[in-house]
Amino acid sequence: MNLAALEHFPLSHRWPINLTRRGFLGASLGALVLGVLLPGGTARAQGAVAEAKPGTRVPAFLEIRPDGTVLLKSPFIEGGQGIFTAMAQIVGEELDADPSRFVVECAEPGSDYMVVGGRRLTGGSFSVRSSYTTMRGLGAAARQMLLQAAAGRLGVPVSELTTEPGKVVHAASGRSIEYGELAAEAAALPVPEDVPLKAESDFRWIKKPVARLDVLEKSTGKAVYAIDLTVEGMLQAAVQHAPRFGAEPGAIANEAEVKAMKGVHSIHRLPGAVAVVADRWWQARRAVETLQVEWTEPAAGARFAMPADFSSDGFRATLAAASGPGVAAESEGDSAAAMQGAARVIEATYDAPFLAHGQLEPPSALARWNEDGTLELWLPNQAPEMFQQVAAKAAGIEPEKVILHSPMLGGFFGRHFLYEGASPFPQAIQLAKAVGRPVKVIWSREEEFLRDALRPLSLARFRAGLDAEGLPVALEAEAVGEGPIGRWFGRKPDAADPSVVEGISGKLYAIPNRSIAHVPVESPAIIGFWRSVGHSMNDFFYETFFDEMADAGQQDPYELRLRLLADHPRQKALLEAVGELSGGWKRGPFTAEDGSRRARGVAMASPFGSEVATIAEVSLRQGEVVVHDVWVAIDPGSIVNPAIIEAQVNSAVALGLSSALLEEVVYVDGAPQARNFDGYPILPPDRMPRVHVRIIESGAPMGGIGEPGLPGVPPAVANAVSVLTGQRVRSLPLSKMQFSATDI
Amino acid sequence: MELIINGTTHQVDAEEDTPLLWVIRDDLGMTGTKYGCGLAQCGACTVLVDGQPTRSCVTPVGSVAGLPITTIEAINEDPVGRRVVEAWVEHQVPQCGYCQSGQVMAATALLKENPQPSEEDIAASMVNLCRCGTYNAIAAAVRDVAQG
Ligand code: FES
Ligand code: FES
């Protein structure tokens, strides 16, 4: 998604809710102190409307403490992508405060934090690129306030003052004052507007591999996730969901027996689930899984009811049978005429399976009804205001009465947006109300596999027309299926869903006649955003078909890409860079030093405002694909932290490879067949390749980092496998394929 | 029954077949040890029982009563554990961090048993899953400790 795609994240969700701009923060907080939640957790100053432009009200974001440490309220949630550190770097740079002295936490809901084009979400690889200037401006404004406070204190004009990290300095008199001493006075000053930002050449921390703020606590078990939280008087709950979405609990055969189990407090019927509340989670889990529940058929017209005969194989066949032309997504030249005049036409159909997120922290939610009528929630989420709205609706109270905490995420990859039935918080709200005590609901891994919102199963049909020279002159593609943007934010009937076509549309190769369409077919499964969204499969479809075109035209796929990118210097340079990084392009097959036969594949991707070129080297061992090395050249335009980028590319390579090699959610008779990692293997350590990263700053507008490293991996691997085996890879994962020779 | 965790003896009142993981987390309130799968698949719940890396999610608490158990909370009390943590920081290993308690415990168990593991030893012992794909950083950090 490009930043422009933000328009597809409207302020309202397909739940019947409206996001108000109303926040928790009182309008008159007078100190550089946030303290929205008083100790004990009750809220103060509810319901006041913050008028300031998002991302400008310094006191909503920063608290400089007497010891000089800086508390920063981040609009974004940390889930491994390094955003808390990046925010500290960006704000610290302009504030002139060492990022290592920052304590960063996720801000509560509030209009101040709507810094992603007037919205707030952690996703779409939007965080840094959407807020970079805003957050720098915030740091600069705070520094200016500190300078003014110091000027008052020292009785000198501001113009005579400078800063060094953490203090204001008056060089003429040799005096200096620590920020911590000035914070209270500074906070009383009005927030200045349009304070000039630093020149890039003066950067002290931005663009440097600043150490992550959370590494020590995460290496010693001290990081706290939602699943770890406890509040006084809390009970714990486990659930058993209806095997099929839309079914409801009917008779329970052994309720009395289960009620008598040790630790059990109570048994509850919930929408689409039963729950047991107990003193301890294990007691609750054992009890709830002992319950013998009769599930009713989904009522007629129940939303997203899962059909009893639904299977992923059947759905793939449905997509294959859905004919075009569909809704146009991109149209250039006259592809029909060019196809007619082509020397050769090739075509191929590709598909990719449903995928689970598999973030390692299972979902949980903790709910507490406070005496003042507020509802306090701790839950994993990527969009606090949206969750606040939906939670309020579930609770039957005003959004202002919902106090939402967003703890650190044990991985997310798109898992923690709002998807119907995919989060435990409505259950926690209802159970806490029913038992009159705080309740924490944890979903077992098995329940998570049952209710995850899946990466959609998708299919794409391609046709290409080649001229006599073997160069592509026409390309037609139909992407068949449904995307998460259309599902959760709506799609106009005459518009393609960007999350369905991205990566097939928007390609830069000089193919003069193109027509790309979306053929809509609704998915009975609950679908969601999965790291790199449409790109996660579409770049595999397109870039693997590209090699088919190259082979049909007897062109080397790397050289053909270079040739078709001749007018795009940024992408061409990137492709050359990854070639060089890998020691010079060679496709193979060739024999490696260890005697194994190997081959390489290449792929380009333009995801989330960044450009990426990827090369992978593979061999086969006993019929199984081994990926030895992956080289990634990434150009995000400009950067904040090269070490975090390298880590994110490693992470994206791992997930992309996991999806290419192993992952597939299989539905049979309306139910997912795998309910844990034994049936849904994910990339283990011994299948992780070496990853080589080159970062290029072309100076183009800043792009994303969290997702862009992923989409190039499946096609680079698939292309290499095709060279090695002579078999086309048109369907993932590779573990489904039989390779004729065991070791080639 | 009596549980000896990080050198402290705790009296716990839990069914013998309750997984050690949930006794550590819920009865004793030590949440550094994580629940990922509950099925011995991921290793997020790794603790040391008598020095052996053990998946506490499938270990009945009754089977380890009276044995010395070490959790991530005591990692800095062990000289090898401390070096592992230092290497984890040096290599900036964690991303989301959720698997890392288990990874650090697995690495510590390996390096205590075998201070100079080969690449094969590392591959054979460091088998916990990481959905964030920190595997290369983990291997580099373990190698660093091994090389002293
Ligand atoms: S939680 Fe024990 S191995 Fe996954
Ligand atoms: S760091 Fe996230 S699962 Fe390993």
Side-chain angles (χ1 to χ4, degrees), chain A residues 5-21 114 116-121 303 383 385-390 393 417-419 484-492 529:
Chain A
L6 263 179
E7 71 193 53
H8 301 291
F9 284 92
L11 290 171
S12 68
H13 204 268
R14 259 177 77 183
W15 266 277
I17 56 163
N18 283 309
L19 280 190
T20 69
R21 309 200 117 244
M114 306 277 225
V116 186
R119 301 155 175 84
R120 181 180 181 194
L121 60 118
R303 232 162 104 83
E385 289 75 13
M386 292 188 197
F387 277 73
Q388 184 191 35
Q389 294 288 325
V390 173
K393 213 172 145 39
F417 281 119
L418 271 168
Y419 310 115
I485 287 183
R487 167 70 65 95
W488 301 117
F489 297 93
R491 180 181 68 81
K492 295 199 192 83
F529 296 91

Side-chain angles (χ1 to χ4, degrees), chain B residues 21 34-45 55 57:
Chain B
L21 171 67
K34 300 302 185 202
Y35 167 60
C37 68
L39 204 63
Q41 295 292 313
C42 72
C45 62
R55 294 190 162 177
C57 68

Side-chain angles (χ1 to χ4, degrees), chain A residues 360, chain B residues 94-100 129-132 134:
Chain A
L360 209 52
Chain B
Q95 292 196 15
C96 86
Y98 196 76
C99 73
Q100 298 295 343
L129 298 176
C130 173
R131 188 55 159 169
C132 301
T134 63

